[in-house]
Amino acid sequence: MADSRTPRSSDGLGSTSPAPAVTRAAAVMDALAASSTGRLTLSDLARELGIPKSSTSNLLLALEEARLISRQGAEFTLGRKLVELGAAYLSRLDEVQEFYRFCEQAPTLSGETVRIAMLDGSNVIYLARYEGHPAVRLTSNIGDKMPVSLCAVGKALIARLNDYDIDAMFPDDAELPVLTPKSLRTGAELKGQLRTIREQGYAFEDEESTTGVVCLAVAVPTRGAHGPSLGLSVTALKATYTEEQGSQMVKELSELAQSLGNPMG
């Protein structure tokens, strides 16, 4: 079943693009990624794109031949080629390779679940995940998106923005997504936490995205004017978490962040 999002207008989608077919192809993959089941029919996708079924069918055929989507009966899903492309992208990020090397050797982080994420508007995208032992598995995986207000790494990253941009993204009365009883609910609550994050140099998430799980995060110093906005986070079980443990986690995350942001030391 298709999700309840508003279909795109056929006049708007790709109408100003120099390559409308590419824009529509990207919209197909976005729609499949956003679907609650990961599967959509031809009718679903035609409605989403706002174009005739015949045009949508030709587009889907081309994407299927490129292995970017896969047909399963009357439904379509994302294709395995996207995994290959994602892996190729990540393998060329020096930050990701250094992230794994550091986590394997760090006294505390080597036994924890650690992630590196990139800011993407009002969300973060997780680029890599190091799983220590025992790993906290009730958290986001590689490629997942998470609203910044729900995760420590998101809050650590937007805390670096200027107040004007933050106010534009999150007015005081903005309603934020909620996952647990402890999730922040308004823009005003979020901005209150951002002030604390700036003062202490790290973000703390207390069961705001997953009950029973806490998370600490720091931002990576930006590398160059156009470098990616990256952040690091580590998760722990609330039942066993201690302030001493948290202090050591923040220390090692900060060391890793400095290494990633300033590779020449």
Side-chain angles (χ1 to χ4, degrees):
M1 180 180 294
D3 57 25
S4 58
R5 291 174 301 157
T6 302
R8 303 169 189 254
S9 166
S10 58
D11 294 332
L13 183 60
S15 60
T16 60
S17 169
V22 175
T23 301
R24 288 171 176 166
V28 166
M29 291 182 283
D30 282 342
L32 290 171
S35 170
S36 59
T37 63
R39 301 165 181 264
L40 293 173
T41 66
L42 169 62
S43 297
D44 294 333
L45 290 164
R47 186 163 51 249
E48 169 69 20
L49 271 64
I51 61 176
K53 283 187 179 180
S54 57
S55 300
T56 306
S57 179
N58 290 335
L59 182 60
L60 296 179
L61 180 61
L63 289 172
E64 187 179 6
E65 289 180 348
R67 296 193 297 123
L68 293 171
I69 65 171
S70 176
R71 187 194 305 262
Q72 298 185 7
E75 297 178 315
F76 295 87
T77 67
L78 294 174
R80 294 183 179 179
K81 182 69 173 180
L82 294 172
V83 178
E84 298 173 17
L85 295 174
Y89 170 77
L90 292 174
S91 70
R92 286 162 177 77
L93 280 181
D94 292 340
E95 293 90 346
V96 170
Q97 301 308 313
E98 175 60 21
F99 164 80
Y100 282 118
R101 285 193 292 269
F102 186 98
C103 289
E104 288 171 356
Q105 299 171 10
T108 299
L109 295 184
S110 60
E112 306 294 343
T113 300
V114 192
R115 288 164 296 174
I116 182 170
M118 178 173 62
L119 186 64
D120 181 33
S122 61
N123 297 295
V124 296
I125 301 175
Y126 290 99
L127 302 179
R129 171 176 169 137
Y130 172 85
E131 291 194 351
H133 304 284
V136 178
R137 299 182 180 277
L138 301 175
T139 54
S140 299
N141 294 307
I142 296 173
D144 285 352
K145 277 191 176 184
M146 177 73 77
V148 295
S149 63
L150 285 170
C151 56
V153 69
K155 290 184 286 188
L157 286 170
I158 62 169
R160 299 196 304 185
L161 303 179
N162 63 56
D163 290 337
Y164 177 84
D165 289 335
I166 294 173
D167 285 336
M169 294 171 65
F170 302 103
D172 286 350
D173 60 353
E175 295 184 3
L176 305 178
V178 172
L179 288 180
T180 77
K182 291 191 174 183
S183 299
L184 301 180
R185 296 175 181 270
T186 67
E189 285 184 301
L190 173 61
K191 285 182 279 190
Q193 277 203 7
L194 296 183
R195 287 190 286 272
T196 301
I197 292 167
R198 288 169 174 170
E199 291 171 0
Q200 63 190 17
Y202 67 92
F204 180 71
E205 175 205 333
D206 186 7
E207 300 183 281
E208 294 161 41
S209 62
T210 306
T211 299
V213 174
V214 299
C215 185
L216 299 105
V218 301
V220 175
T222 302
R223 183 186 297 185
H226 303 290
S229 188
L230 301 175
L232 302 162
S233 66
V234 57
T235 51
L237 295 176
K238 178 70 175 285
T240 58
Y241 174 78
T242 66
E243 289 189 7
E244 182 181 358
Q245 177 189 20
S247 296
Q248 185 61 28
M249 287 175 169
V250 170
K251 177 179 180 293
E252 293 181 12
L253 283 179
S254 299
E255 291 173 357
L256 174 54
Q258 192 67 23
S259 173
L260 296 179
N262 299 283
M264 300 306 292

